[in-house]
Amino acid sequence: MYQATLSRRSYRFNDLRQLLAKASPARSGDYLAEVAADSAEERMAARIALADVPLKTFLQQLLVPYEHDEVTRLIVDSHDALAFAPISHLTVGDFRDWLLSEQADSAMLARVAAGITPEMAAAVSKLMRNQDLILVAKKCRVITRFRNTLGLPGRLSVRLQPNHPTDSLQGIAASMLDGLLYGCGDAVVGINPASDSLPLLEKLNYMLDDVIQRFAIPTQSCVLTHVTNTLRLMERGVPVDLVFQSIAGTEAANQGFGINLALLAEAQQAALGLNRGTLGNNVMYFETGQGSCLSSNAHHGVDQQTCEARAYAVARHFSPLLINTVVGFIGPEYLYDGKQIIRAGLEDHFCGKLLGLPLGCDVCYTNHAEADQDDMDTLLTLLATAGLTFLIGVPGADDIMLNYQSTSFHDALYIRELLGLKHAPEFADWLTKMQITDERGQLRDTAANHPLLLALRGEIR
């Protein structure tokens, strides 16, 4: 039992699960799940009570039963007590103050990351203003490598997302060309296929690999199909760089995705066996998003933001090259408007970075949400200020296959110019060598006889 008194009224919270849910900022998904605070006053009372909870409590009172959930078992069994020691005496409120202090610099945050559980990260985020989430995330440094180096300070990478509603190779090639000539693609060239046909998935992988190898592009490719399809492709000898999978924060929700930890481990080992990375062996790519556990009725009464943080424990276990929250994609049932999407994006980025993940964000919304591109401009600017690892680059910001609004190649140009952010270093060198950018990293005018244009023109035709 937890309690707090506010305005001469006493509020009681039955357990840690309820306390965390009531302390969450208002969002439609928690109202839908009937776990949200009934009023702003109750929400504040929950935060007052939460601030006094010792961090050790999260190791003793589990939100989802250990016996019934492999994600809980992963969190508990992989907890690093030595890394936790420097902060083990703190309450959630003390933890917030410590994170904002000069003592918690980048090196210290890296040392304690393995000792922080997702529930601890979610709890402290509920006590933080947006500026707090930005400031702490900015201090977190997470660097990963495959064919280039991602996550370095002063750098921002872009996933080039050349989706097509019929998986047309010509249409995909045209979008790839567009993105590369805008300097996008250093995070990954990643296609969401419209079909699960293995022969088509093979063609997509071979096409991406051909372009990367032909022009010696220091990047990686990924066809974002189900992990079981990727396993079949690797068994056939198809050139797979990264293994993709959507993940969630409970075993039941992951079962809804058709996965478990053993399957992810099998895929990781298969990808490592291909030895396709030149600079590192981070071979996994994960996507998450607040609401996935609730939408599959697999949240165990836990609020959606805490469920999202638990998904990061799954990701952390597999040392991914990339992970991003597709923050506004699930829809207004879970994040109703621009304000909720902005807050969720900052929470997800903070929690992921605090747990030691190379977190990026698909700054996005669906057309039936109460949000628009101005909201996305705001979230993009805030996240880039907070040290975002990568964003998504879609032609015109309009994904014509998935039918949602994201960020464009032009948005990447805006944020790089605004904040002086550079590409991944190896990719930046390639852009200069290919005369796509000058020595300062500024785009050049592309001549009609540019080798990329000449080579891909045949693909497009």
Side-chain angles (χ1 to χ4, degrees):
M1 176 75 72
Y2 300 90
Q3 63 182 37
T5 300
L6 195 63
S7 300
R8 299 183 180 179
R9 179 178 175 182
S10 181
Y11 291 87
R12 290 182 172 83
F13 308 97
N14 295 329
D15 54 26
L16 197 55
R17 183 189 299 114
Q18 185 183 65
L19 180 64
L20 286 166
K22 299 287 189 180
S24 285
R27 62 203 52 189
S28 52
D30 288 338
Y31 286 117
L32 184 66
E34 299 183 340
V35 300
D38 294 329
S39 66
E41 187 171 282
E42 184 183 30
R43 184 173 299 111
M44 184 56 66
R47 290 173 180 172
I48 291 171
L50 181 60
D52 290 333
V53 175
L55 291 181
K56 289 180 179 178
T57 303
F58 294 95
L59 301 174
Q60 302 157 355
Q61 298 181 26
L62 305 179
L63 305 186
V64 183
Y66 183 93
E67 308 80 30
H68 302 145
D69 188 90
E70 67 174 1
V71 177
T72 298
R73 292 194 290 275
L74 176 66
I75 292 168
V76 173
D77 296 347
S78 64
H79 183 253
D80 189 329
L82 187 61
F84 181 57
I87 57 173
S88 62
H89 62 290
L90 300 177
T91 64
V92 176
D94 294 333
F95 188 34
R96 172 191 175 274
D97 294 342
W98 181 83
L99 288 170
L100 292 167
S101 72
E102 292 183 1
Q103 181 184 354
D105 58 14
S106 297
M108 175 59 80
L109 289 172
R111 284 199 293 272
V112 302
I116 301 171
T117 68
E119 293 84 355
M120 294 175 194
V124 74
S125 75
K126 298 176 194 298
L127 304 185
M128 303 177 89
R129 291 171 55 184
N130 287 358
Q131 65 175 253
D132 300 335
L133 298 173
I134 293 167
L135 185 60
V136 176
K138 179 75 170 180
K139 296 191 287 185
C140 297
R141 298 282 179 236
V142 183
I143 298 170
T144 57
R145 294 179 175 89
F146 189 76
R147 291 199 188 100
N148 57 21
T149 307
L150 304 175
L152 292 170
R155 308 273 177 171
L156 175 64
S157 296
V158 178
R159 170 189 160 187
L160 172 49
Q161 184 169 300
N163 295 343
H164 193 277
T166 64
D167 291 328
S168 161
L169 296 184
Q170 291 85 359
I172 290 169
S175 293
M176 281 179 60
L177 174 61
D178 193 21
L180 288 169
L181 293 177
Y182 273 108
C184 295
D186 48 346
V188 64
V189 181
I191 301 171
N192 297 93
S195 168
D196 282 332
S197 161
L198 281 182
L200 174 65
L201 298 175
E202 279 194 27
K203 289 181 181 178
L204 293 175
N205 273 282
Y206 276 113
M207 173 186 171
L208 293 176
D209 183 63
D210 175 63
V211 174
I212 289 173
Q213 299 300 331
R214 197 187 333 171
F215 295 99
I217 308 174
T219 191
Q220 38 282 327
S221 66
C222 186
V223 176
L224 282 71
T225 186
H226 193 270
V227 63
T228 52
N229 288 332
T230 306
L231 275 166
R232 294 190 187 102
L233 292 172
M234 289 189 284
E235 289 168 359
R236 293 183 178 200
V238 175
V240 170
D241 287 344
L242 304 182
V243 174
F244 168 80
Q245 183 56 48
S246 295
I247 57 173
T250 69
E251 179 178 348
N254 283 325
Q255 286 175 347
F257 284 139
I259 63 167
N260 55 38
L261 298 180
L263 181 61
L264 294 178
E266 179 186 353
Q268 182 188 36
Q269 289 307 307
L272 288 171
L274 298 179
N275 198 31
R276 292 178 57 82
T278 55
L279 295 183
N281 59 1
N282 299 112
V283 296
M284 306 298 282
Y285 176 19
F286 297 118
E287 285 189 345
T288 66
Q290 288 192 29
S292 58
C293 288
L294 276 67
S295 66
S296 59
N297 195 29
H299 58 94
H300 299 272
V302 179
D303 67 272
Q304 68 179 42
Q305 189 253 332
T306 303
C307 285
E308 170 72 4
R310 284 170 54 91
Y312 302 156
V314 177
R316 180 167 65 175
H317 184 65
F318 295 100
S319 303
L321 179 76
L322 304 164
I323 170 175
N324 68 273
T325 168
V326 193
V327 65
F329 183 76
I330 300 182
E333 300 86 352
Y334 302 98
L335 295 171
Y336 178 72
D337 57 15
K339 180 180 177 66
Q340 292 187 12
I341 291 171
I342 289 168
R343 173 68 190 192
L346 294 177
E347 289 170 347
D348 295 350
H349 182 250
F350 163 83
C351 288
K353 284 292 186 65
L354 192 62
L355 292 168
L357 286 169
L359 209 91
C361 184
D362 190 344
V363 179
C364 64
Y365 64 102
T366 55
N367 287 315
H368 61 311
E370 292 295 321
D372 58 27
Q373 213 65 37
D374 286 337
D375 295 315
M376 300 306 104
D377 287 347
T378 299
L379 179 54
L380 170 60
T381 305
L382 294 174
L383 285 171
T385 303
L388 184 70
T389 301
F390 72 103
L391 69 149
I392 308 299
V394 177
D398 183 10
D399 192 303
I400 58 174
M401 194 283 281
L402 292 173
N403 291 311
Y404 78 117
Q405 308 304 309
S406 184
T407 44
S408 70
F409 307 144
H410 303 80
D411 294 328
L413 294 178
Y414 146 72
I415 201 66
R416 289 191 197 282
E417 182 174 347
L418 177 71
L419 300 178
L421 299 170
K422 300 179 180 179
H423 305 82
E426 300 85 358
F427 193 80
D429 291 343
W430 178 82
L431 290 172
T432 303
K433 177 182 176 182
M434 294 293 291
Q435 297 187 336
I436 296 172
T437 61
D438 60 23
E439 292 76 10
R440 300 171 300 161
Q442 301 295 311
L443 283 182
R444 292 176 178 267
D445 290 333
T446 305
N449 63 348
H450 190 280
L452 271 175
L453 279 169
L454 295 175
L456 289 180
R457 188 170 293 157
E459 300 283 352
I460 296 168
R461 289 176 180 172

